[in-house]
């Protein structure tokens, strides 16, 4: 498996040769050497045909035929990483639905979406469990959704920097994709924001540790899409602990920047990536703690189901706290029943541009003698 990673992994550099592979295993067979011809054959075999993920036939059918067998859970599996599979649960409660206009802002890994794919499109959004379905044609039919996005470990907030349209919310998913959604009203926008963050806070599983490599590069941790088995109380404790931990890490990083004169370009870029990641995580866990505090004031039972009545009460708590804060600005007494969700924190993260988007023209050079006229 290590040889397969060395030969076919990404960003590995120079691959291991057959002679190097044989010499690295000298004396590893209980103090003796392996058969050299066998090792060379093994190297040649893995080099010509890489090892693949072991996928069960039934799971593969589920991934190819979504919902055809009528199972409760169907996996929309990704080709790259099995930990990032989107699990569909037909019995999951309906959290939110309504018409939305969608604009793609950034693709996977935060890469800027090309110009031709950024246009606004109208969908009927259905948030069921941890999956957001965007249906294009008829939302009442049994046709599959045109687009599917998992909201595990995601962060929704008001798109404050986007002023071309009103009532626009910003959604950043676990794979660093960024969506812009326009709701029909300001109340609907805040309802979508609070409910998406509520689902993410309740059901997101603890992240796996980040990958460790010899290059000492910064790697983001793996964020599994499977639903967490923790209770709401345990989730709130976990999110609060993660929030304090990320705040300490961010404070230490900002207090110890690399030397501007002596630091290399790679070190400065590494520092920037770490700072952006920590800022986003602080904002995300702050939003999770806020929505769970508000949900705790509404939820009186220990079951995991979300009833329509409880979600409406949750929206009322959000609107009531927002109105209480606005009245407090005018000299009246502020409401402190639960944290305000009027404007959730949003990390300022730059999106990388494509080379094709850079300006290719230059300002015309005007001779000095013409400027006088």
């Amino acid at each position: 498996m290590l040889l397969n990673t060395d030969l076919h992994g990404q960003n590995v550099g120079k691959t291991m040769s057959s002679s190097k592979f044989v010499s690295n295993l000298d004396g590893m067979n209980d103090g003796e050497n392996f058969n050299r011809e066998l090792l060379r054959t093994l190297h040649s075999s893995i080099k010509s045909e890489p090892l693949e993920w072991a996928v069960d036939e039934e799971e593969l059918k589920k991934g190819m035929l979504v919902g055809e067998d009528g199972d409760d859970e169907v996996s929309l599996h990704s080709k790259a990483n099995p930990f990032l599979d989107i699990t569909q649960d037909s019995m999951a409660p309906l959290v939110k639905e309504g018409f939305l206009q969608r604009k793609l802002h950034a693709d996977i890994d935060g890469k800027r979406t090309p110009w031709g794919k950024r246009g606004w499109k109208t969908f009927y959004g259905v948030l069921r469990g941890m999956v957001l379905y965007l249906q294009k044609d008829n939302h009442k039919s049994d046709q599959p959704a045109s687009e599917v996005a998992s909201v595990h470990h995601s962060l929704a907030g008001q798109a404050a920097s986007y002023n071309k349209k009103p009532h626009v919310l910003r959604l950043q998913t676990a794979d660093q994709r960024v969506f812009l959604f326009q709701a029909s009203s300001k109340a609907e926008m805040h309802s979508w924001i609070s409910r998406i963050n509520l689902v993410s806070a309740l059901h997101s599983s603890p992240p796996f540790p980040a990958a460790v490599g010899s290059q000492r590069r910064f790697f983001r941790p793996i964020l599994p899409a499977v639903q967490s088995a923790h209770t709401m109380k345990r989730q709130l404790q976990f999110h609060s602990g993660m929030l304090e931990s990320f705040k300490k890490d961010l404070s230490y990083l900002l207090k110890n920047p690399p030397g501007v004169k002596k630091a290399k370009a790679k070190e400065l870029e590494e520092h920037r990536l770490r700072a952006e990641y920590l800022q986003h995580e602080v904002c995300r866990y702050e939003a999770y703690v806020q929505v769970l505090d508000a949900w705790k004031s509404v939820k009186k039972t220990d079951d995991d189901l979300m009833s329509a009545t409880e979600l409406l009460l949750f929206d009322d708590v959000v609107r009531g706290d927002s109105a209480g804060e606005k009245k407090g600005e005018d000299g009246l007494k502020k409401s402190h029943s639960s944290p305000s969700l009027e404007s959730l924190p949003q990390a300022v993260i730059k999106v990388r541009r494509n080379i094709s988007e850079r300006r290719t023209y230059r300002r015309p050079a005007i001779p000095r003698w013409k400027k006088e006229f």
Side-chain angles (χ1 to χ4, degrees):
M1 293 179 65
L2 293 176
L3 177 62
N4 181 78
T5 303
D6 184 88
L7 293 177
H8 305 285
Q10 298 179 354
N11 302 324
V12 176
K14 187 177 181 181
T15 59
M16 188 183 303
S17 62
S18 176
S19 59
K20 187 67 175 179
F21 175 64
V22 173
S23 62
N24 286 342
L25 294 177
D26 288 344
M28 300 296 293
N29 188 14
D30 293 335
E32 299 180 358
N33 297 334
F34 289 99
N35 189 325
R36 294 182 177 272
E37 292 299 328
L38 177 62
L39 294 180
R40 294 192 183 96
T41 303
L42 179 63
H43 183 278
S44 176
S45 176
I46 295 180
K47 185 176 182 180
S48 59
E49 186 175 356
L51 302 177
E52 298 181 357
W53 288 98
V55 181
D56 189 11
E57 294 183 358
E58 296 297 329
E59 294 294 331
L60 184 60
K61 292 180 180 178
K62 291 179 183 179
M64 296 175 62
L65 304 175
V66 178
E68 190 170 297
D69 299 334
D71 296 337
D72 290 341
E73 294 187 358
V74 181
S75 175
L76 299 178
H77 76 113
S78 59
K79 298 180 180 179
N81 197 329
F83 292 111
L84 302 180
D85 293 351
I86 300 178
T87 302
Q88 292 187 107
D89 187 0
S90 60
M91 302 301 294
L94 177 63
V95 182
K96 181 73 177 176
E97 61 179 342
F99 284 99
L100 292 169
Q101 284 204 351
R102 190 268 296 145
K103 176 184 176 67
L104 297 177
H105 185 66
D107 296 332
I108 297 178
D109 295 334
K111 295 182 179 179
R112 189 72 177 269
T113 303
W115 283 106
K117 299 181 180 180
R118 294 187 204 170
W120 288 94
K121 294 183 179 180
T122 303
F123 292 94
Y124 189 82
V126 178
L127 180 60
R128 187 180 296 276
M130 286 198 302
V131 182
L132 176 61
Y133 302 91
L134 298 177
Q135 299 172 344
K136 188 174 182 180
D137 297 329
N138 186 4
H139 66 276
K140 295 183 179 180
S141 64
D142 296 331
Q143 298 178 358
S146 301
E147 296 181 13
V148 178
S150 179
V151 298
H152 70 282
H153 299 278
S154 64
L155 176 62
Q158 185 175 357
S161 59
Y162 190 86
N163 52 13
K164 296 181 180 180
K165 287 177 175 286
H167 320 312
V168 177
L169 62 100
R170 181 182 185 273
L171 173 64
Q172 181 169 343
T173 59
D175 53 3
Q176 302 180 58
R177 290 190 296 170
V178 177
F179 300 90
L180 296 180
F181 293 103
Q182 183 188 21
S184 58
S185 63
K186 185 177 181 180
E188 278 292 300
M189 178 191 68
H190 288 297
S191 179
W192 277 104
I193 291 174
S194 58
R195 294 192 185 188
I196 289 175
N197 289 332
L198 175 62
V199 172
S200 302
L202 282 175
H203 302 308
S204 295
S205 298
F208 294 116
V212 178
S214 59
Q215 299 178 353
R216 296 182 180 180
R217 294 177 55 191
F218 169 70
F219 293 97
R220 293 175 177 266
I222 300 175
L223 303 176
V226 65
Q227 183 171 334
S228 175
H230 294 162
T231 61
M232 179 181 62
K233 182 179 180 181
R234 181 68 182 88
Q235 286 285 94
L236 182 56
Q237 293 176 353
F238 173 77
H239 295 327
S240 300
M242 294 295 290
L243 176 59
E244 296 300 324
S245 176
F246 278 113
K247 282 185 176 179
K248 293 180 180 178
D249 293 342
L250 180 59
S251 177
Y252 177 80
L253 184 69
L254 296 179
K255 290 180 181 179
N256 298 274
V260 179
K261 296 183 179 180
K262 297 182 180 180
K264 298 180 180 179
K266 292 184 178 179
E267 295 178 356
L268 296 176
E269 180 67 14
E270 186 85 2
H271 184 270
R272 185 188 66 83
L273 292 176
R274 289 178 181 271
E276 288 183 355
Y277 167 72
L278 293 176
Q279 289 174 358
H280 176 75
E281 293 301 295
V282 168
C283 294
R284 183 166 70 92
Y285 282 109
E286 281 181 349
Y288 287 178
V289 171
Q290 289 179 5
V291 293
L292 286 183
D293 283 336
W295 181 247
K296 186 172 62 174
S297 65
V298 174
K299 190 73 172 177
K300 303 303 180 183
T301 58
D302 295 332
D303 57 348
D304 296 331
L305 298 179
M306 293 181 177
S307 64
T309 304
E310 292 174 339
L311 290 173
L312 289 176
L313 291 175
F314 176 71
D315 290 339
D316 292 339
V317 171
V318 174
R319 285 196 295 266
D321 293 338
S322 301
E325 283 200 348
K326 289 182 179 179
K327 291 181 180 179
E329 295 175 359
D330 298 332
L332 300 180
K333 185 178 180 180
K334 294 184 179 181
S335 174
H336 295 282
S337 58
S338 61
S340 172
L341 304 177
E342 174 69 20
S343 59
L344 293 175
Q346 178 177 331
V348 179
I349 298 179
K350 297 181 180 179
V351 180
R352 291 178 290 176
R353 290 181 175 272
N354 295 327
I355 299 178
S356 60
E357 297 178 13
R358 299 177 181 175
R359 299 179 183 269
T360 57
Y361 63 86
R362 296 181 179 180
R363 295 179 60 184
I366 303 176
R368 184 178 300 177
W369 62 272
K370 287 187 177 182
K371 292 183 180 180
E372 297 178 356
F373 300 98

